[in-house]
Amino acid sequence: MTTFTKEYKLQVAKRYLNEIISYRELANQVGVDDSTLRYWVMLVRYHGDQAFAFPYTNYSTAFKLKVIQFMTEENYSIREASAIFHIPVPCMLRRWKKKWETAGEGALEPREKGLSTMTVNQNKNKGNNSSNPSVEEMKKELEYLRMENAYLKKLKALVQEEQSPTKSKRK
């Protein structure tokens, strides 16, 4: 996948706006999907020369809800709402909307940074020896599994012997 510079994207979008050319034709010339080109043009229409200067930011829950509410009430597409609110990639907005639809507003809350709960739970379990099997229990289980394995091998050999063509017996 080719990565285009901000300047190049701006140049291509302005070329569409200034020339009489279709999205599809220009997209083929540039080597991008026509929907991507449409997004670039929307960004330039709404934000001008700063269209591709996205500040790194963490979006607040209130902002995410505002964008989703705007989309649903005004009937805007994900791509267009993303361009209006100057969100770098429309798939980010798509994820927000999906989370909101499935789990509500709480799903849009930022996740806590630091150790995950899984790491914390693992550390708790290490200190608790009552759930760990003893050496004797492990030896018994190993012996049982070895017997079971030997039994299954013998059973498989017997089944194969029965399925093989009968050999003629010489007397």
Side-chain angles (χ1 to χ4, degrees):
M1 184 176 140
T2 307
T3 304
F4 299 102
T5 64
K6 297 173 186 180
E7 294 80 19
Y8 184 72
K9 292 177 185 179
L10 184 63
Q11 179 186 3
V12 171
K14 285 187 175 183
R15 182 174 166 204
Y16 172 80
L17 292 171
N18 296 331
E19 295 178 15
I20 301 174
I21 190 168
S22 70
Y23 280 116
R24 188 167 287 142
E25 188 178 341
L26 182 58
N28 286 336
Q29 289 177 10
V30 174
V32 296
D33 188 52
D34 59 320
S35 63
T36 303
L37 178 60
R38 287 176 197 211
Y39 184 62
W40 293 355
V41 171
M42 275 191 276
L43 282 169
V44 170
R45 281 186 179 148
Y46 289 114
H47 304 286
D49 290 341
Q50 297 301 313
F52 300 102
F54 297 106
Y56 175 77
T57 184
N58 291 326
Y59 298 101
S60 67
T61 306
F63 177 78
K64 294 175 185 178
L65 287 171
K66 178 182 171 185
V67 174
I68 292 170
Q69 184 179 14
F70 175 80
M71 276 180 28
T72 54
E73 288 178 0
E74 302 296 325
N75 222 14
Y76 276 91
S77 69
I78 289 174
R79 215 173 266 276
E80 191 162 7
S82 180
I84 291 170
F85 287 96
H86 208 215
I87 298 171
V89 286
C91 67
M92 188 181 297
L93 186 53
R94 188 173 291 114
R95 280 190 302 250
W96 295 349
K97 187 174 181 190
K98 188 174 183 177
K99 283 181 181 180
W100 177 73
E101 287 172 344
T102 56
E105 292 179 21
L108 299 176
E109 293 287 332
R111 288 183 271 152
E112 292 182 16
K113 296 190 179 189
L115 290 177
S116 68
T117 55
M118 188 170 131
T119 309
V120 173
N121 289 339
Q122 287 175 349
N123 290 340
K124 287 181 182 176
N125 287 340
K126 284 182 183 176
N128 189 0
N129 290 334
S130 64
S131 65
N132 292 340
S134 69
V135 176
E136 293 300 318
E137 289 174 340
M138 290 172 65
K139 284 182 180 178
K140 286 181 182 178
E141 185 179 2
L142 178 62
E143 183 182 354
Y144 175 79
L145 291 172
R146 283 182 177 162
M147 288 189 315
E148 185 179 17
N149 194 16
Y151 173 78
L152 292 173
K153 283 182 181 178
K154 287 181 182 179
L155 183 62
K156 183 178 179 184
L158 287 173
V159 169
Q160 285 179 349
E161 189 177 300
E162 286 180 6
Q163 290 177 349
S164 66
T166 58
K167 297 180 182 176
S168 60
K169 295 184 181 179
R170 293 186 184 172
K171 291 187 181 179

